[in-house]
Amino acid sequence: MNPLLQDLEKILVSEDAIKKRIDELGIEITRDYLNAGVQELTIVAITNGAIIFTADLLRKIPLRTRLDCVRVSSYQDETKPIGEPQIIDNIRLNIHGRHVLMIDDILDTGRTCSKIVHALKTKNPATIKTCMLLDKKGRREVAFEADYVGFKIPNEFVVGYGLDFAENYRSLPCIGVVKAELQNPPEWT
Ligand code: IMP
Ligand code: MG
């Protein structure tokens, strides 16, 4: 057994459920783009959280894909949330006239995704869609809905499959909630 699992109070999404949902998302996304006559995509992943999800999802989308990443300032280790997330490393690929699919791990307040979508739009892509592994709908502070969502989850702080608590647990194959006694309460929830 993976010893990290002992730190979880509960598992919200199992490894099998993630695999099955990624298969479905791959089929759905591929079908939607092909129906729209699109054969090539530019994937923009938000590091670090989206890395594992992106790696698995990409291999279920049998279209031509280009891949790039955006890094956003993290506020989880700060004592206070910094207001607006800032892009600290932008994409290198030219997306002018391209079809962009932005991928992230979780849609929470919506600030990160709306900021990045806005920034990407200024580069004049042909289309831009978004795909989130998780959606914590109750937490939204800015209006933002993703085109594709893996799982809707309740308002709990989750880790695993790319998501971290103070940089731990990203490698867990499932998504779960860390035991309360192991959490210095995340300052930004
Ligand atoms: P938003 O800008 O509030 O939507 O936040 C999105 C970012 O906050 C995500 O990309 C994650 O890095 C982080 N985040 C939000 N909720 C969680 C959580 O439950 N666990 C781990 N990271 C989270
Ligand atoms: Mg993240």
Side-chain angles (χ1 to χ4, degrees), residues 46-50 74-76 85 104-114 132 134 136 139-142 153-160 162-165 170 176 188-189:
I46 305 180
T47 52
N48 296 324
S74 153
Y75 45 81
Q76 67 202 38
D104 201 4
D105 52 0
I106 187 164
L107 192 49
D108 188 30
T109 64
R111 289 186 187 281
T112 306
C113 286
S114 70
M132 303 289 140
L134 304 173
K136 265 196 221 171
R139 295 255 311 162
R140 212 70 93 242
E141 289 173 13
V142 297
I153 59 161
N155 180 15
E156 292 193 86
F157 188 81
V158 294
V159 296
L163 292 117
D164 72 302
F165 170 61
R170 291 195 197 274
W188 48 281
T189 58

Side-chain angles (χ1 to χ4, degrees), residues 139-152:
R139 295 255 311 162
R140 212 70 93 242
E141 289 173 13
V142 297
F144 188 92
E145 295 308 321
D147 296 286
Y148 304 96
V149 169
F151 301 92
K152 292 192 175 134

Side-chain angles (χ1 to χ4, degrees), residues 79-182:
T79 46
K80 286 191 221 119
I82 53 168
E84 279 293 297
Q86 302 294 325
I87 295 176
I88 52 177
D89 192 18
N90 214 322
I91 53 170
R92 306 288 195 272
L93 293 177
N94 184 350
I95 57 169
H96 187 104
R98 304 290 188 139
H99 298 277
V100 172
L101 179 64
M102 191 192 89
I103 301 182
D104 201 4
D105 52 0
I106 187 164
L107 192 49
D108 188 30
T109 64
R111 289 186 187 281
T112 306
C113 286
S114 70
K115 174 109 189 192
I116 295 176
V117 165
H118 183 79
L120 293 174
K121 275 186 181 162
T122 66
K123 297 176 185 286
N124 297 313
T127 62
I128 176 156
K129 285 186 170 195
T130 56
C131 177
M132 303 289 140
L133 173 64
L134 304 173
D135 185 353
K136 265 196 221 171
K137 228 176 169 127
R139 295 255 311 162
R140 212 70 93 242
E141 289 173 13
V142 297
F144 188 92
E145 295 308 321
D147 296 286
Y148 304 96
V149 169
F151 301 92
K152 292 192 175 134
I153 59 161
N155 180 15
E156 292 193 86
F157 188 81
V158 294
V159 296
Y161 199 70
L163 292 117
D164 72 302
F165 170 61
E167 291 302 323
N168 287 316
Y169 307 111
R170 291 195 197 274
S171 63
L172 270 176
C174 59
I175 290 158
V177 178
V178 176
K179 286 178 181 160
E181 65 265 30
L182 297 174

